[in-house]
Amino acid sequence: GCSDLGETITYTFTVTNEGNTAIYAVILEDPLLGGVINLTSGDDDSDGELDVNETWVYTSNYNITQSDINIGFVTNQATVSGVDFNGADISDLSDDNSINEDDATETRICNNASISLEKVGIFNDDNGDSLPQVGETVSYTFMVHNIGSETLYNIVINDPMAGVEMQGSMIPSL
């Protein structure tokens, strides 16, 4: 139910010529997806010309990274560019819900921060008689596990039990 490292987001880009002349040398670029995205459908005549009211569709997959999971979303924006009949460069930034805006697409992904602490005690039979007595000790081992999907930082173990002396330091990341 949550995003895992290496799972994918599929982006679909729909490029439509809403002008009144053809557009030439059309290129869709997306830095997050590695640069130029290849056409997957639309240009049936393969002339490299995006005619008036013609639509081309591009798709590409993005592999979710640990950094994406840690922040809980992926932000992405592509640029389509071409040349009009006068040789002038034209371009547009992608938008997530409108042809009149240039907002980046933000895809929320589930992240799940969760930690587990295991405490194991071992009786130290200090006098060797196999019986626990006042003044003998117990050694505790603490094991910290990241059982969620995001990286955890600055982990400190505190034990309120009287007499427990902690050894070790903060765990910078897990």
Side-chain angles (χ1 to χ4, degrees):
C2 276
S3 304
D4 292 317
L5 186 63
E7 289 185 324
T8 60
I9 298 171
T10 300
Y11 289 99
T12 301
F13 305 90
T14 304
V15 178
T16 302
N17 181 349
E18 295 184 345
N20 58 8
T21 64
I23 301 172
Y24 306 93
V26 176
I27 297 173
L28 177 69
E29 293 183 87
D30 189 323
L32 184 71
L33 300 174
V36 175
I37 309 297
N38 293 319
L39 178 69
T40 54
S41 67
D43 188 20
D44 294 331
D45 57 6
S46 299
D47 62 3
E49 176 181 311
L50 183 61
D51 295 320
V52 175
N53 296 320
E54 185 175 13
T55 297
W56 294 353
V57 178
Y58 300 79
T59 59
S60 188
N61 290 328
Y62 171 74
N63 291 324
I64 295 171
T65 67
Q66 186 62 52
S67 176
D68 300 327
I69 292 170
N70 290 348
I71 61 174
F73 60 90
V74 175
T75 301
N76 189 24
Q77 190 164 46
T79 303
V80 65
S81 60
V83 178
D84 73 7
F85 72 97
N86 290 321
D89 292 335
I90 57 172
S91 65
D92 187 43
L93 293 171
S94 65
D95 185 81
D96 57 351
N97 63 0
S98 171
I99 62 170
N100 298 318
E101 299 173 343
D102 291 330
D103 300 329
T105 299
E106 187 173 282
T107 304
R108 295 244 172 242
I109 56 176
C110 176
N111 58 357
N112 178 21
S114 191
I115 193 168
S116 173
L117 176 62
E118 186 178 343
K119 178 181 178 182
V120 176
I122 297 175
F123 168 61
N124 300 316
D125 188 9
D126 298 323
N127 65 9
D129 67 359
S130 298
L131 298 171
Q133 297 168 355
V134 173
E136 291 188 303
T137 61
V138 176
S139 294
Y140 292 102
T141 303
F142 298 88
M143 291 171 275
V144 180
H145 304 275
N146 182 346
I147 58 173
S149 61
E150 67 180 89
T151 304
L152 305 174
Y153 298 96
N154 302 325
I155 301 157
V156 177
I157 301 170
N158 293 309
D159 191 329
M161 185 174 175
V164 172
E165 295 178 21
M166 300 294 289
Q167 296 178 356
S169 59
M170 176 188 63
I171 302 168
S173 68
L174 181 63

